[in-house]
Amino acid sequence: MVSRYYDVSISRPSHRVHWAVPVPASEDQSVYVWLDALVNYLTAVGYPESSLWPPNCQVLGKDILKFHGVYWPAFLIASGLQPPSNLLVHSHWTVNGEKMSKSQGNVVSPVQAAKTFTESGLRYFLLREGTNHSDSNYSEIKVMRLLNAELADTLGNLLNRCTGTTVNVQQYFPQFDVQYCQPDAKGLLLALDSLSDEVADHFKQFNFYKGVDVIISTLREANRFFEISQPWKLCKSPDSEHHLACVLHLTMETLRMSSIALQPIVPQIAKLLLDKLQIPHSERSWEFTKRQTNDKIRFLNSDKVMLFKKILNK
């Protein structure tokens, strides 16, 4: 329990911070740098004309929590303004297990990293690996392996397999008829039915890595289901037409739901996938992450799509 409150001085002697903003009518004092800096948030949103303040959530690093969690709300309340509703405090990134610093020369340029791994790839890695509760580690080998395994292989290959002309001769997204599904589909159906709520819960808690993990686990289950079902054999037998349609539907339904859920993470890749499946823009909001059965057949976009090009080890 706090037994005593202390005032916070909002100025400092000018000789200590000669570059700071002078206090009006007091030449020997400068405005406390954190008061000056924090007020820039108001400037950025166009205060007082703008109605964007207060934000629902403000994002900051763990090393400046005191200034944003104690001083900033105090400054705002003293000014008659509402503080942010929530603070999202994130941890830091290390590089190859070491603290990132200019003196060590290991600072990672996000611009260069985006050129190496693409903007989508960098976004995916940071949100997939970044956690709020502990520091995360960045290494180029780790980035390459993760992107190749999950974006190129797990996601990209699944799309290629179910839209290839060998198994999907009609180039369509078939309707769903449960009576033609084999017991092997049970695991995938369970994963699909829980995907929307699980991912939403994680995203609401800003645990993006957990949400993506649910999506990737579901995509892996879809790959397993596709492999076990052997559609390359089913397509050769007229008697297996309905079974093949079930396999194709569930595989593409996994891709449809996953790509909608991945829109906050990798919007460009998600758009490519949804465009390929011919999903209308009106059906790309979160409510459509629930499993559907298709009331009509959808035909695929004829354009060839590469969701993510595999990165070669240089």
Side-chain angles (χ1 to χ4, degrees):
M1 179 181 293
V2 178
S3 59
R4 184 177 177 183
Y5 296 96
Y6 296 89
D7 291 334
V8 175
S9 173
I10 60 170
S11 70
R12 296 290 187 272
S14 296
H15 70 272
R16 288 172 51 189
V17 279
H18 59 86
W19 42 265
V21 177
V23 173
S26 185
E27 295 182 359
D28 62 338
Q29 292 287 305
S30 297
V31 175
Y32 178 40
V33 65
W34 273 105
L35 172 61
D36 174 32
L38 292 168
V39 168
N40 278 316
Y41 290 128
L42 295 174
T43 304
V45 298
Y47 177 84
E49 288 79 12
S50 173
S51 60
L52 295 176
W53 194 269
N56 179 262
C57 180
Q58 188 161 357
V59 183
L60 58 133
K62 64 180 183 179
D63 55 327
I64 51 175
L65 174 58
K66 179 178 74 172
F67 307 104
H68 288 77
V70 179
Y71 293 178
W72 182 220
F75 294 156
L76 289 167
I77 293 171
S79 302
L81 298 172
Q82 287 290 324
S85 302
N86 298 281
L87 295 179
L88 172 57
V89 185
H90 61 77
S91 297
H92 293 165
W93 284 92
T94 59
V95 178
N96 297 319
E98 297 182 354
K99 183 178 179 180
M100 191 186 307
S101 69
K102 291 182 179 179
S103 60
Q104 293 192 51
N106 64 349
V107 174
V108 177
S109 164
V111 175
Q112 185 57 50
K115 290 179 180 178
T116 302
F117 302 112
T118 75
E119 291 181 16
S120 293
L122 182 60
R123 280 180 64 112
Y124 183 82
F125 176 81
L126 295 177
L127 292 169
R128 176 74 165 106
E129 290 293 302
T131 63
N132 297 323
H133 54 76
S134 60
D135 291 347
S136 303
N137 186 51
Y138 178 97
S139 78
E140 291 196 345
I141 293 295
K142 186 178 182 181
V143 178
M144 180 189 70
R145 288 176 177 172
L146 179 74
L147 299 183
N148 285 345
E150 297 189 353
L151 292 186
D153 292 343
T154 303
L155 180 63
N157 281 350
L158 185 61
L159 176 65
N160 294 337
R161 298 173 90 179
C162 65
T163 60
T165 54
T166 300
V167 299
N168 194 340
V169 178
Q170 299 182 60
Q171 288 294 282
Y172 75 136
F173 186 163
Q175 294 170 290
F176 180 70
D177 193 334
V178 69
Q179 67 176 313
Y180 295 109
C181 280
Q182 302 297 311
D184 292 330
K186 183 178 180 180
L188 180 56
L189 286 169
L190 289 173
L192 291 175
D193 287 340
S194 63
L195 182 142
S196 180
D197 291 340
E198 285 190 35
V199 176
D201 287 343
H202 291 314
F203 281 6
K204 287 175 183 176
Q205 296 298 317
F206 304 108
N207 290 321
F208 301 108
Y209 72 103
K210 288 186 177 181
V212 175
D213 190 57
V214 172
I215 296 169
I216 292 299
S217 295
T218 304
L219 288 166
R220 287 177 181 146
E221 179 62 26
N223 272 296
R224 186 197 68 82
F225 167 69
F226 192 91
E227 191 72 25
I228 291 175
S229 300
Q230 298 183 323
W232 53 89
K233 292 183 179 179
L234 297 177
C235 66
K236 297 177 182 178
S237 171
D239 295 336
S240 301
E241 178 183 355
H242 295 296
H243 184 192
L244 175 62
C246 173
V247 173
L248 292 177
H249 171 86
L250 287 179
T251 307
M252 282 188 265
E253 181 64 358
T254 303
L255 289 167
R256 184 194 67 81
M257 294 169 60
S258 297
S259 57
I260 293 175
L262 281 171
Q263 286 180 116
I265 310 298
V266 279
Q268 294 178 351
I269 290 177
K271 182 180 184 303
L272 284 173
L273 207 161
L274 291 167
D275 287 348
K276 178 64 179 179
L277 298 180
Q278 296 274 46
I279 305 301
H281 287 274
S282 60
E283 297 179 12
R284 299 185 182 188
S285 54
W286 193 264
E287 64 187 290
F288 291 97
T289 53
K290 298 286 187 180
R291 187 165 68 87
Q292 300 178 341
T293 56
N294 279 13
D295 56 359
K296 61 181 179 181
I297 294 175
R298 299 182 192 273
F299 287 94
L300 304 177
N301 189 316
S302 60
D303 293 342
K304 291 186 179 297
V305 173
M306 177 178 285
L307 296 182
F308 189 83
K309 186 177 181 180
K310 209 159 192 175
I311 300 168
L312 300 178
N313 191 4
K314 297 180 180 180

